Amino acid sequence: MAISDHVNLEQFMEGLKRRNPGEIEFQQAVYEVASNVFDYIADKEVYHDEQILRRIAEPDRVVSFRVCWEDDNGNIRVQRGWRVQNNNSIGPYKGGLRFHPSVNQSILKFLAFEQTFKNSLTGLPMGGAKGGANFNPKGKSPREVMRFCQSFMNELYRHIGEDTDIPAGDIGVGAREIGYLFGQYKRLTNRFVGVLTGKGMEFGGSPIRTEATGYGTVYFMESMLTNVKDSVEGKRCLVSGSGNVAQYAVEKINQLGGKVVTLSDSSGFIYDPNGVDEEKLAWVMDLKNVRRGRLSEYAEEFGCAHQAGRPWDVEADLAFPCATQNEISTEEAKVLIKNGIRGVSEGANMPTEQNGIHAFTEARILFAPSKAANAGGVAVSGLEMSQNSARITWKEEELQKLLLDIMTGIHDRCAEHGRTSGDDYIDYVKGANIAAFIKVADAMLAYGVV
Ligand code: NDP
Ligand code: 2IT
Protein backbone atom coordinates (compact mmCIF):
# COMPACT_ATOMS: atom_id res chain seq x y z
CA MET A 1 0.00 0.00 0.00
CA ALA A 2 1.34 3.45 -0.85
CA ILE A 3 1.75 5.83 2.09
CA SER A 4 -0.84 8.17 0.58
CA ASP A 5 -3.40 5.38 1.04
CA HIS A 6 -2.90 5.34 4.82
CA VAL A 7 -5.08 7.39 7.16
CA ASN A 8 -3.95 10.97 7.79
CA LEU A 9 -3.95 12.79 11.13
CA GLU A 10 -7.52 14.05 10.78
CA GLN A 11 -8.88 10.61 9.87
CA PHE A 12 -6.91 9.06 12.71
CA MET A 13 -8.37 11.53 15.21
CA GLU A 14 -11.89 11.05 13.84
CA GLY A 15 -11.60 7.33 14.48
CA LEU A 16 -10.13 7.86 17.94
CA LYS A 17 -12.98 10.20 18.91
CA ARG A 18 -15.55 7.74 17.58
CA ARG A 19 -14.08 4.90 19.65
CA ASN A 20 -13.62 7.03 22.81
CA PRO A 21 -16.68 9.28 22.89
CA GLY A 22 -16.64 12.11 25.40
CA GLU A 23 -13.15 11.24 26.67
CA ILE A 24 -11.83 14.73 26.02
CA GLU A 25 -8.64 14.53 28.08
CA PHE A 26 -7.67 11.25 26.42
CA GLN A 27 -8.39 12.70 22.97
CA GLN A 28 -6.33 15.80 23.84
CA ALA A 29 -3.30 13.77 24.97
CA VAL A 30 -3.38 11.52 21.90
CA TYR A 31 -3.73 14.48 19.55
CA GLU A 32 -0.68 16.20 21.00
CA VAL A 33 1.46 13.13 20.32
CA ALA A 34 -0.17 12.20 17.01
CA SER A 35 0.31 15.64 15.49
CA ASN A 36 4.09 15.27 15.83
CA VAL A 37 4.30 11.56 15.13
CA PHE A 38 2.32 11.77 11.87
CA ASP A 39 4.91 14.22 10.50
CA TYR A 40 7.76 12.00 11.64
CA ILE A 41 6.35 8.79 10.14
CA ALA A 42 5.19 10.47 6.91
CA ASP A 43 7.87 8.59 4.94
CA LYS A 44 8.21 5.53 7.21
CA GLU A 45 5.81 2.97 5.79
CA VAL A 46 6.39 0.24 8.37
CA TYR A 47 4.91 2.31 11.23
CA HIS A 48 1.76 2.84 9.14
CA ASP A 49 1.52 -0.77 7.99
CA GLU A 50 1.89 -2.11 11.52
CA GLN A 51 -0.66 0.43 12.90
CA ILE A 52 1.77 1.35 15.67
CA LEU A 53 0.18 4.60 16.87
CA ARG A 54 -3.31 3.13 16.65
CA ARG A 55 -2.12 0.29 18.90
CA ILE A 56 -0.40 2.56 21.46
CA ALA A 57 -3.59 4.64 21.66
CA GLU A 58 -5.67 1.56 22.57
CA PRO A 59 -4.88 0.60 26.21
CA ASP A 60 -3.80 -3.02 26.67
CA ARG A 61 -6.55 -3.22 29.28
CA VAL A 62 -8.75 -1.05 31.48
CA VAL A 63 -9.81 -2.61 34.75
CA SER A 64 -12.65 -0.92 36.59
CA PHE A 65 -13.94 -2.04 39.97
CA ARG A 66 -16.17 -1.21 42.91
CA VAL A 67 -14.55 -0.02 46.14
CA CYS A 68 -16.78 -0.20 49.24
CA TRP A 69 -15.70 1.21 52.58
CA GLU A 70 -17.25 2.29 55.84
CA ASP A 71 -16.90 5.88 57.05
CA ASP A 72 -16.46 6.92 60.69
CA ASN A 73 -20.22 7.26 61.12
CA GLY A 74 -20.88 3.71 60.00
CA ASN A 75 -22.20 4.69 56.55
CA ILE A 76 -21.35 2.42 53.63
CA ARG A 77 -19.67 4.37 50.83
CA VAL A 78 -19.15 3.17 47.26
CA GLN A 79 -16.41 4.48 44.98
CA ARG A 80 -15.15 3.46 41.55
CA GLY A 81 -11.53 2.36 41.12
CA TRP A 82 -9.50 1.78 37.94
CA ARG A 83 -6.18 0.56 36.65
CA VAL A 84 -5.41 1.43 33.04
CA GLN A 85 -2.52 -0.65 31.69
CA ASN A 86 -1.63 1.16 28.51
CA ASN A 87 1.48 -0.48 27.09
CA ASN A 88 4.22 -2.81 28.37
CA SER A 89 6.47 -2.98 25.33
CA ILE A 90 9.60 -1.67 27.02
CA GLY A 91 9.03 -2.88 30.59
CA PRO A 92 6.37 -3.76 33.15
CA TYR A 93 3.44 -1.35 33.48
CA LYS A 94 4.39 1.58 35.72
CA GLY A 95 2.59 4.71 36.83
CA GLY A 96 0.85 6.43 39.70
CA LEU A 97 -2.50 6.24 41.46
CA ARG A 98 -4.70 9.32 41.77
CA PHE A 99 -7.40 9.80 44.42
CA HIS A 100 -9.51 12.84 43.56
CA PRO A 101 -13.27 13.37 43.06
CA SER A 102 -12.65 14.36 39.41
CA VAL A 103 -11.04 11.01 38.49
CA ASN A 104 -12.75 9.22 35.60
CA GLN A 105 -11.78 6.84 32.82
CA SER A 106 -10.82 9.61 30.38
CA ILE A 107 -8.39 11.19 32.83
CA LEU A 108 -6.76 7.87 33.69
CA LYS A 109 -6.50 6.86 30.03
CA PHE A 110 -4.80 10.17 29.19
CA LEU A 111 -2.42 9.74 32.11
CA ALA A 112 -1.58 6.11 31.20
CA PHE A 113 -0.99 7.09 27.56
CA GLU A 114 1.30 9.97 28.58
CA GLN A 115 3.09 7.71 31.05
CA THR A 116 4.02 5.30 28.25
CA PHE A 117 5.93 8.08 26.47
CA LYS A 118 7.35 9.64 29.64
CA ASN A 119 8.72 6.32 30.83
CA SER A 120 10.30 5.75 27.44
CA LEU A 121 12.12 9.08 27.73
CA THR A 122 13.71 8.11 31.07
CA GLY A 123 15.73 5.40 29.32
CA LEU A 124 14.65 2.91 32.01
CA PRO A 125 12.69 -0.30 31.27
CA MET A 126 9.16 0.76 32.23
CA GLY A 127 5.84 0.54 30.37
CA GLY A 128 2.92 2.92 31.00
CA ALA A 129 -0.07 2.66 33.35
CA LYS A 130 -2.19 4.78 35.66
CA GLY A 131 -4.93 4.14 38.17
CA GLY A 132 -6.95 5.65 40.92
CA ALA A 133 -10.41 6.32 42.23
CA ASN A 134 -13.03 9.05 42.48
CA PHE A 135 -12.38 9.18 46.22
CA ASN A 136 -11.98 12.58 47.87
CA PRO A 137 -9.40 12.41 50.67
CA LYS A 138 -10.27 15.97 51.78
CA GLY A 139 -11.93 16.04 55.16
CA LYS A 140 -11.52 12.30 55.69
CA SER A 141 -9.99 11.01 58.92
CA PRO A 142 -6.74 9.00 58.70
CA ARG A 143 -8.73 5.83 59.56
CA GLU A 144 -11.18 6.50 56.73
CA VAL A 145 -8.30 6.95 54.31
CA MET A 146 -6.76 3.73 55.61
CA ARG A 147 -9.98 1.75 55.18
CA PHE A 148 -10.40 3.13 51.68
CA CYS A 149 -6.82 2.19 50.71
CA GLN A 150 -7.27 -1.33 52.08
CA SER A 151 -10.52 -1.84 50.20
CA PHE A 152 -8.99 -0.44 47.00
CA MET A 153 -6.06 -2.87 47.31
CA ASN A 154 -8.42 -5.82 47.93
CA GLU A 155 -9.17 -5.67 44.21
CA LEU A 156 -6.05 -3.99 42.79
CA TYR A 157 -3.66 -6.66 44.11
CA ARG A 158 -4.84 -9.18 41.48
CA HIS A 159 -3.68 -6.94 38.66
CA ILE A 160 -0.26 -5.80 39.89
CA GLY A 161 3.10 -7.36 40.75
CA GLU A 162 6.78 -6.44 40.88
CA ASP A 163 7.31 -7.71 37.31
CA THR A 164 3.79 -6.95 36.05
CA ASP A 165 2.60 -3.52 37.10
CA ILE A 166 4.08 -1.25 39.77
CA PRO A 167 1.85 1.63 40.95
CA ALA A 168 3.04 4.72 42.87
CA GLY A 169 1.60 8.04 44.06
CA ASP A 170 -0.02 10.96 42.25
CA ILE A 171 -2.62 13.56 43.32
CA GLY A 172 -4.07 12.56 46.69
CA VAL A 173 -1.73 9.57 47.04
CA GLY A 174 1.45 10.26 48.98
CA ALA A 175 3.65 8.47 51.51
CA ARG A 176 0.74 7.83 53.91
CA GLU A 177 -1.48 6.18 51.30
CA ILE A 178 1.39 4.16 49.81
CA GLY A 179 2.05 2.82 53.33
CA TYR A 180 -1.57 1.70 53.76
CA LEU A 181 -1.66 0.21 50.24
CA PHE A 182 1.59 -1.69 50.66
CA GLY A 183 0.53 -2.94 54.10
CA GLN A 184 -2.62 -4.44 52.60
CA TYR A 185 -0.81 -5.92 49.58
CA LYS A 186 1.64 -7.63 51.93
CA ARG A 187 -1.18 -8.95 54.07
CA LEU A 188 -3.13 -10.33 51.10
CA THR A 189 -0.20 -11.99 49.35
CA ASN A 190 2.29 -12.67 52.14
CA ARG A 191 4.99 -11.28 49.84
CA PHE A 192 7.41 -8.44 50.56
CA VAL A 193 8.37 -7.26 47.08
CA GLY A 194 8.81 -4.00 45.19
CA VAL A 195 5.21 -3.86 43.98
CA LEU A 196 4.72 -0.16 44.77
CA THR A 197 7.17 2.74 44.67
CA GLY A 198 7.28 5.84 46.82
CA LYS A 199 7.45 3.60 49.89
CA GLY A 200 8.73 4.80 53.27
CA MET A 201 12.47 4.44 53.86
CA GLU A 202 11.80 1.82 56.56
CA PHE A 203 10.20 -0.56 54.09
CA GLY A 204 12.05 -0.40 50.80
CA GLY A 205 11.69 3.22 49.72
CA SER A 206 14.39 5.05 47.81
CA PRO A 207 16.25 8.18 48.86
CA ILE A 208 15.00 11.30 46.99
CA ARG A 209 11.86 9.70 45.49
CA THR A 210 9.83 12.32 47.40
CA GLU A 211 11.89 15.19 45.96
CA ALA A 212 12.46 13.76 42.48
CA THR A 213 9.54 15.13 40.42
CA GLY A 214 9.85 18.73 41.64
CA TYR A 215 13.65 18.74 41.47
CA GLY A 216 13.59 17.19 38.00
CA THR A 217 11.17 19.80 36.66
CA VAL A 218 13.54 22.56 37.75
CA TYR A 219 16.60 20.70 36.40
CA PHE A 220 14.87 20.55 33.03
CA MET A 221 14.28 24.31 33.11
CA GLU A 222 17.92 24.86 34.07
CA SER A 223 19.03 22.70 31.10
CA MET A 224 16.86 24.70 28.68
CA LEU A 225 18.24 27.96 30.08
CA THR A 226 21.86 26.72 30.02
CA ASN A 227 21.34 25.95 26.35
CA VAL A 228 20.62 29.65 25.73
CA LYS A 229 23.40 30.75 28.13
CA ASP A 230 21.11 31.70 31.01
CA SER A 231 20.08 30.16 34.36
CA VAL A 232 17.34 30.02 37.02
CA GLU A 233 19.44 32.25 39.28
CA GLY A 234 17.82 35.62 39.95
CA LYS A 235 14.56 34.72 38.15
CA ARG A 236 11.08 35.49 39.48
CA CYS A 237 9.10 32.24 39.33
CA LEU A 238 5.42 31.34 39.38
CA VAL A 239 4.61 27.95 40.87
CA SER A 240 1.08 26.54 40.97
CA GLY A 241 -0.04 23.76 43.30
CA SER A 242 1.31 23.29 46.81
CA GLY A 243 1.53 19.49 46.99
CA ASN A 244 4.45 17.13 46.49
CA VAL A 245 5.63 18.36 43.09
CA ALA A 246 5.20 22.07 43.85
CA GLN A 247 6.95 21.83 47.22
CA TYR A 248 10.14 20.31 45.84
CA ALA A 249 10.11 22.54 42.77
CA VAL A 250 10.17 25.48 45.19
CA GLU A 251 13.01 23.90 47.19
CA LYS A 252 15.15 23.44 44.06
CA ILE A 253 14.35 26.91 42.65
CA ASN A 254 15.50 28.39 45.97
CA GLN A 255 18.69 26.30 45.92
CA LEU A 256 19.45 27.57 42.42
CA GLY A 257 18.94 31.20 43.47
CA GLY A 258 15.50 31.86 41.99
CA LYS A 259 12.57 33.47 43.81
CA VAL A 260 9.10 31.86 43.98
CA VAL A 261 6.31 34.42 44.31
CA THR A 262 3.17 32.27 43.97
CA LEU A 263 1.67 28.95 45.12
CA SER A 264 -1.87 27.68 44.67
CA ASP A 265 -4.39 25.06 45.73
CA SER A 266 -7.98 24.28 44.86
CA SER A 267 -9.16 27.35 46.79
CA GLY A 268 -6.99 29.95 45.03
CA PHE A 269 -3.43 31.29 45.05
CA ILE A 270 -1.09 33.37 47.18
CA TYR A 271 1.14 36.13 45.83
CA ASP A 272 4.15 36.73 48.04
CA PRO A 273 6.47 39.30 46.43
CA ASN A 274 9.10 38.63 49.11
CA GLY A 275 9.42 35.02 47.96
CA VAL A 276 8.61 31.62 49.48
CA ASP A 277 11.93 31.09 51.27
CA GLU A 278 13.15 27.96 53.06
CA GLU A 279 11.37 28.80 56.30
CA LYS A 280 8.04 29.56 54.62
CA LEU A 281 8.36 26.38 52.55
CA ALA A 282 8.78 24.31 55.74
CA TRP A 283 5.59 25.97 57.00
CA VAL A 284 3.76 25.08 53.75
CA MET A 285 4.93 21.45 54.02
CA ASP A 286 3.52 21.22 57.53
CA LEU A 287 0.28 22.92 56.40
CA LYS A 288 -0.23 20.62 53.39
CA ASN A 289 1.35 17.32 54.48
CA VAL A 290 0.50 17.23 58.21
CA ARG A 291 -2.31 19.65 59.02
CA ARG A 292 -3.87 19.30 55.53
CA GLY A 293 -5.10 22.91 55.55
CA ARG A 294 -5.74 25.64 52.97
CA LEU A 295 -3.29 28.13 51.46
CA SER A 296 -5.39 31.06 52.67
CA GLU A 297 -3.73 30.35 56.04
CA TYR A 298 -0.36 31.22 54.42
CA ALA A 299 -1.68 34.67 53.55
CA GLU A 300 -2.73 35.23 57.17
CA GLU A 301 0.54 33.86 58.58
CA PHE A 302 2.89 35.82 56.30
CA GLY A 303 0.73 38.86 55.51
CA CYS A 304 0.36 38.61 51.74
CA ALA A 305 -2.40 38.43 49.15
CA HIS A 306 -4.67 35.41 48.62
CA GLN A 307 -7.28 35.33 45.89
CA ALA A 308 -9.46 32.94 43.97
CA GLY A 309 -8.30 31.63 40.60
CA ARG A 310 -4.85 30.84 39.25
CA PRO A 311 -1.57 32.75 39.41
CA TRP A 312 -0.90 33.25 35.68
CA ASP A 313 -1.49 37.01 35.50
CA VAL A 314 1.35 37.74 37.93
CA GLU A 315 4.44 39.06 36.11
CA ALA A 316 7.42 36.74 36.21
CA ASP A 317 10.31 35.22 34.23
CA LEU A 318 9.53 31.52 34.63
CA ALA A 319 6.41 29.40 35.25
CA PHE A 320 6.13 25.95 36.81
CA PRO A 321 2.53 24.62 36.68
CA CYS A 322 2.53 21.84 39.31
CA ALA A 323 -1.15 21.30 40.21
CA THR A 324 -3.26 19.52 37.57
CA GLN A 325 -4.28 19.13 33.89
CA ASN A 326 -5.49 22.09 31.82
CA GLU A 327 -4.65 24.63 34.51
CA ILE A 328 -3.16 27.05 31.94
CA SER A 329 -5.86 28.01 29.46
CA THR A 330 -5.00 29.43 26.04
CA GLU A 331 -5.96 32.90 27.28
CA GLU A 332 -3.74 32.51 30.35
CA ALA A 333 -0.84 31.36 28.14
CA LYS A 334 -1.25 34.55 26.13
CA VAL A 335 -1.25 36.66 29.31
CA LEU A 336 1.97 34.95 30.43
CA ILE A 337 3.55 35.72 27.04
CA LYS A 338 2.38 39.34 27.13
CA ASN A 339 3.89 39.70 30.61
CA GLY A 340 7.29 38.54 29.34
CA ILE A 341 7.52 34.92 30.52
CA ARG A 342 10.76 33.29 29.26
CA GLY A 343 10.27 29.65 30.17
CA VAL A 344 7.60 27.16 31.24
CA SER A 345 8.39 23.74 32.72
CA GLU A 346 5.40 21.48 33.35
CA GLY A 347 5.55 19.68 36.71
CA ALA A 348 1.90 18.60 36.48
CA ASN A 349 0.67 16.26 33.73
CA MET A 350 -0.69 18.13 30.67
CA PRO A 351 -1.29 21.41 32.57
CA THR A 352 -1.41 23.54 29.40
CA GLU A 353 -4.32 23.48 26.95
CA GLN A 354 -3.45 22.47 23.40
CA ASN A 355 -3.71 25.99 21.93
CA GLY A 356 -1.80 27.40 24.88
CA ILE A 357 1.12 25.14 23.91
CA HIS A 358 0.90 26.47 20.35
CA ALA A 359 0.94 30.03 21.67
CA PHE A 360 4.09 29.31 23.69
CA THR A 361 5.95 27.63 20.84
CA GLU A 362 4.90 30.28 18.32
CA ALA A 363 6.19 32.97 20.68
CA ARG A 364 9.47 31.00 20.95
CA ILE A 365 9.08 30.55 24.73
CA LEU A 366 11.27 27.78 26.22
CA PHE A 367 8.57 25.20 26.84
CA ALA A 368 9.15 21.83 28.54
CA PRO A 369 6.18 19.45 28.12
CA SER A 370 5.18 17.37 31.11
CA LYS A 371 6.19 13.99 29.72
CA ALA A 372 9.78 15.25 29.66
CA ALA A 373 9.84 17.81 32.47
CA ASN A 374 8.21 15.73 35.22
CA ALA A 375 9.82 12.38 34.38
CA GLY A 376 12.20 12.65 37.34
CA GLY A 377 9.63 11.14 39.68
CA VAL A 378 9.01 7.99 37.73
CA ALA A 379 12.73 7.75 36.95
CA VAL A 380 13.57 7.53 40.64
CA SER A 381 10.66 5.09 40.99
CA GLY A 382 12.47 2.96 38.40
CA LEU A 383 15.61 3.19 40.52
CA GLU A 384 13.55 2.19 43.58
CA MET A 385 12.48 -0.93 41.65
CA SER A 386 16.12 -1.77 40.88
CA GLN A 387 17.08 -1.36 44.54
CA ASN A 388 14.15 -3.55 45.64
CA SER A 389 15.10 -6.29 43.16
CA ALA A 390 18.68 -6.26 44.44
CA ARG A 391 17.49 -5.87 48.07
CA ILE A 392 19.80 -2.95 48.75
CA THR A 393 19.51 0.82 49.25
CA TRP A 394 21.82 3.12 47.36
CA LYS A 395 23.36 6.23 48.88
CA GLU A 396 21.53 9.53 48.58
CA GLU A 397 24.42 11.23 46.74
CA GLU A 398 24.38 8.48 44.16
CA LEU A 399 20.64 8.98 43.52
CA GLN A 400 20.98 12.77 43.40
CA LYS A 401 23.57 12.37 40.66
CA LEU A 402 21.51 9.77 38.76
CA LEU A 403 18.43 12.04 38.80
CA LEU A 404 20.41 14.98 37.44
CA ASP A 405 22.03 12.76 34.77
CA ILE A 406 18.65 11.30 33.73
CA MET A 407 17.04 14.75 33.44
CA THR A 408 19.98 16.09 31.43
CA GLY A 409 19.77 13.01 29.22
CA ILE A 410 16.03 13.59 28.63
CA HIS A 411 16.71 17.24 27.79
CA ASP A 412 19.38 16.26 25.27
CA ARG A 413 17.20 13.55 23.68
CA CYS A 414 14.32 16.03 23.26
CA ALA A 415 16.69 18.67 21.88
CA GLU A 416 18.06 16.21 19.33
CA HIS A 417 14.60 15.53 17.86
CA GLY A 418 13.18 19.01 18.50
CA ARG A 419 15.34 21.18 16.26
CA THR A 420 13.32 23.51 14.06
CA SER A 421 14.34 24.71 10.63
CA GLY A 422 14.98 28.40 10.19
CA ASP A 423 16.13 29.34 13.70
CA ASP A 424 17.84 27.98 16.84
CA TYR A 425 14.56 27.40 18.70
CA ILE A 426 14.08 23.91 20.11
CA ASP A 427 10.54 22.54 19.99
CA TYR A 428 10.72 20.32 23.07
CA VAL A 429 7.14 19.10 22.53
CA LYS A 430 8.01 17.64 19.17
CA GLY A 431 11.38 16.40 20.46
CA ALA A 432 9.81 14.59 23.43
CA ASN A 433 7.05 13.00 21.37
CA ILE A 434 9.35 11.70 18.67
CA ALA A 435 12.17 10.50 20.93
CA ALA A 436 9.66 8.68 23.15
CA PHE A 437 7.71 7.21 20.23
CA ILE A 438 10.73 5.70 18.47
CA LYS A 439 11.70 3.49 21.41
CA VAL A 440 8.21 2.15 22.12
CA ALA A 441 7.40 1.74 18.41
CA ASP A 442 10.60 -0.15 17.60
CA ALA A 443 10.02 -2.54 20.49
CA MET A 444 6.49 -3.16 19.18
CA LEU A 445 7.81 -3.83 15.69
CA ALA A 446 10.15 -6.45 17.15
CA TYR A 447 7.25 -8.31 18.77
CA GLY A 448 5.18 -8.59 15.61
CA VAL A 449 1.41 -8.38 15.83
CA VAL A 450 0.52 -9.01 19.48
P1 NDP B 1 -0.61 16.46 45.48
O1 NDP B 1 -1.87 15.79 45.79
O2 NDP B 1 0.55 16.34 46.40
O3 NDP B 1 -0.85 18.02 45.24
C1 NDP B 1 -1.74 18.47 44.27
C2 NDP B 1 -1.82 19.98 44.35
O4 NDP B 1 -2.57 20.46 43.23
C3 NDP B 1 -2.54 20.46 45.59
O5 NDP B 1 -2.04 21.72 45.95
C4 NDP B 1 -3.99 20.55 45.12
O6 NDP B 1 -4.78 21.46 45.85
C5 NDP B 1 -3.79 21.05 43.70
N1 NDP B 1 -4.88 20.59 42.84
C6 NDP B 1 -5.19 19.31 42.51
N2 NDP B 1 -6.25 19.27 41.72
C7 NDP B 1 -6.63 20.53 41.53
C8 NDP B 1 -7.67 21.14 40.80
N3 NDP B 1 -8.54 20.40 40.09
N4 NDP B 1 -7.75 22.49 40.81
C9 NDP B 1 -6.87 23.24 41.54
N5 NDP B 1 -5.87 22.71 42.27
C10 NDP B 1 -5.75 21.40 42.25
O7 NDP B 1 -0.20 15.94 44.01
P2 NDP B 1 1.21 15.97 43.28
O8 NDP B 1 1.98 17.18 43.68
O9 NDP B 1 1.83 14.64 43.43
O10 NDP B 1 0.76 16.10 41.76
C11 NDP B 1 0.62 17.37 41.11
C12 NDP B 1 0.69 17.16 39.60
O11 NDP B 1 1.97 16.57 39.26
C13 NDP B 1 -0.35 16.23 39.01
O12 NDP B 1 -0.67 16.66 37.71
C14 NDP B 1 0.39 14.88 38.92
O13 NDP B 1 -0.16 14.04 37.93
C15 NDP B 1 1.77 15.39 38.52
N6 NDP B 1 2.88 14.47 38.77
C16 NDP B 1 3.11 13.96 40.01
C17 NDP B 1 4.21 13.14 40.21
C18 NDP B 1 4.58 12.64 41.56
O14 NDP B 1 5.65 12.02 41.67
N7 NDP B 1 3.82 12.88 42.60
C19 NDP B 1 5.08 12.73 39.10
C20 NDP B 1 4.78 13.38 37.84
C21 NDP B 1 3.70 14.20 37.71
P3 NDP B 1 -5.45 21.03 47.27
O15 NDP B 1 -4.31 21.08 48.26
O16 NDP B 1 -6.50 22.04 47.51
O17 NDP B 1 -5.97 19.65 47.07
O1 2IT C 1 2.79 11.02 36.65
C1 2IT C 1 3.77 10.40 37.13
O2 2IT C 1 4.81 10.22 36.50
C2 2IT C 1 3.65 9.90 38.52
N1 2IT C 1 2.64 10.17 39.17
C3 2IT C 1 4.73 9.06 39.10
C4 2IT C 1 4.61 7.63 38.65
C5 2IT C 1 5.55 6.66 39.29
O3 2IT C 1 5.38 5.48 39.00
O4 2IT C 1 6.44 7.05 40.07
Side-chain angles (χ1 to χ4, degrees):
M1 214 181 344
I3 285 187
S4 57
D5 295 335
H6 296 300
V7 294
N8 60 29
L9 176 61
E10 283 66 38
Q11 292 163 329
F12 173 80
M13 285 308 301
E14 258 174 46
L16 186 101
K17 286 179 185 170
R18 205 170 46 242
R19 291 188 299 277
N20 302 277
E23 297 190 343
I24 50 174
E25 294 86 1
F26 179 58
Q27 294 167 7
Q28 179 184 348
V30 175
Y31 179 76
E32 192 225 275
V33 169
S35 53
N36 289 139
V37 165
F38 263 84
D39 279 347
Y40 173 73
I41 64 174
D43 57 353
K44 298 178 180 64
E45 184 134 10
V46 64
Y47 294 124
H48 292 278
D49 287 346
E50 300 294 323
Q51 299 274 356
I52 296 296
L53 193 57
R54 167 88 164 77
R55 284 155 64 187
I56 302 179
E58 187 68 42
D60 289 357
R61 65 189 62 77
V62 179
V63 184
S64 157
F65 48 94
R66 185 185 63 231
V67 186
C68 296
W69 58 286
E70 189 176 342
D71 70 20
D72 287 345
N73 299 320
N75 300 313
I76 302 305
R77 312 282 287 260
V78 184
Q79 248 68 53
R80 189 170 296 172
W82 286 268
R83 187 69 178 166
V84 179
Q85 297 177 331
N86 192 71
N87 188 295
N88 66 353
S89 298
I90 61 170
Y93 302 111
K94 177 86 195 90
L97 296 171
R98 178 178 291 192
F99 291 168
H100 193 271
S102 64
V103 164
N104 59 34
Q105 188 166 296
S106 168
I107 288 177
L108 295 177
K109 278 168 70 177
F110 116 64
L111 288 163
F113 177 83
E114 283 286 293
Q115 197 81 43
T116 303
F117 292 86
K118 181 193 308 193
N119 293 2
S120 167
L121 285 175
T122 65
L124 299 173
M126 300 181 289
K130 201 83 184 192
N134 60 355
F135 171 73
N136 186 0
K138 277 208 187 75
K140 304 289 187 301
S141 72
R143 288 292 186 201
E144 289 179 322
V145 171
M146 181 190 78
R147 286 196 293 275
F148 179 79
C149 288
Q150 291 175 341
S151 183
F152 183 80
M153 186 53 84
N154 283 348
E155 173 64 28
L156 185 71
Y157 89 99
R158 304 171 211 287
H159 311 289
I160 62 176
E162 70 277 23
D163 294 320
T164 314
D165 183 355
I166 305 91
D170 194 78
I171 292 176
V173 178
R176 177 182 67 171
E177 290 73 22
I178 293 290
Y180 293 148
L181 290 162
F182 186 66
Q184 187 70 357
Y185 180 86
K186 199 165 60 56
R187 184 176 182 201
L188 288 165
T189 62
N190 199 21
R191 298 172 76 236
F192 194 113
V193 289
V195 68
L196 291 163
T197 60
K199 299 186 292 300
M201 287 306 297
E202 306 78 16
F203 50 96
S206 172
I208 78 156
R209 173 62 189 88
T210 311
E211 294 88 339
T213 311
Y215 278 17
T217 302
V218 180
Y219 287 148
F220 200 101
M221 176 69 90
E222 186 75 344
S223 291
M224 294 197 298
L225 287 166
T226 304
N227 201 44
V228 295
K229 305 195 170 31
D230 202 348
S231 71
V232 169
E233 191 176 356
K235 300 288 187 296
R236 251 170 81 92
C237 301
L238 308 179
V239 173
S240 67
S242 47
N244 172 262
V245 180
Q247 291 167 12
Y248 289 96
V250 174
E251 185 162 288
K252 187 52 72 181
I253 292 167
N254 286 341
Q255 287 170 7
L256 295 181
K259 185 199 263 193
V260 174
V261 295
T262 65
L263 285 175
S264 72
D265 66 12
S266 47
S267 65
F269 72 96
I270 56 108
Y271 171 48
D272 184 349
N274 296 321
V276 182
D277 60 19
E278 205 183 324
E279 201 180 312
K280 292 174 184 170
L281 177 61
W283 190 92
V284 170
M285 288 183 177
D286 181 64
L287 173 77
K288 284 292 173 185
N289 309 347
V290 182
R291 291 190 285 128
R292 296 177 192 272
R294 303 248 133 206
L295 262 188
S296 49
E297 293 178 45
Y298 179 106
E300 284 158 30
E301 178 76 15
F302 300 110
C304 70
H306 176 267
Q307 62 187 80
R310 305 189 282 223
W312 311 127
D313 61 355
V314 175
E315 271 185 42
D317 305 302
L318 305 175
F320 298 86
C322 297
T324 194
Q325 65 275 353
N326 291 327
E327 56 164 321
I328 300 182
S329 68
T330 303
E331 292 68 36
E332 286 166 325
K334 288 179 181 161
V335 171
L336 284 163
I337 295 166
K338 182 168 71 61
N339 286 344
I341 205 80
R342 293 213 43 192
V344 179
S345 185
E346 296 187 325
N349 282 307
M350 203 171 75
T352 312
E353 284 183 1
Q354 188 70 45
N355 289 330
I357 297 178
H358 287 157
F360 285 136
T361 48
E362 258 167 39
R364 295 318 201 215
I365 307 296
L366 299 174
F367 179 79
S370 52
K371 62 173 75 68
N374 72 29
V378 75
V380 174
S381 276
L383 302 176
E384 183 172 330
M385 288 160 60
S386 302
Q387 294 169 77
N388 291 166
S389 296
R391 294 192 157 73
I392 51 171
T393 304
W394 301 337
K395 290 196 173 61
E396 181 183 327
E397 309 83 78
E398 220 170 322
L399 284 149
Q400 293 280 14
K401 185 176 174 313
L402 282 169
L403 173 62
L404 183 55
D405 286 353
I406 289 172
M407 292 313 296
T408 313
I410 297 174
H411 171 271
D412 295 351
R413 236 163 279 147
C414 296
E416 185 191 331
H417 292 279
R419 306 243 170 248
T420 45
S421 51
D423 61 18
D424 291 338
Y425 181 69
I426 296 174
D427 182 343
Y428 288 97
V429 177
K430 174 177 142 197
N433 286 336
I434 293 172
F437 173 78
I438 292 171
K439 186 172 171 188
V440 178
D442 289 350
M444 289 172 71
L445 288 179
Y447 300 139
V449 181
V450 288

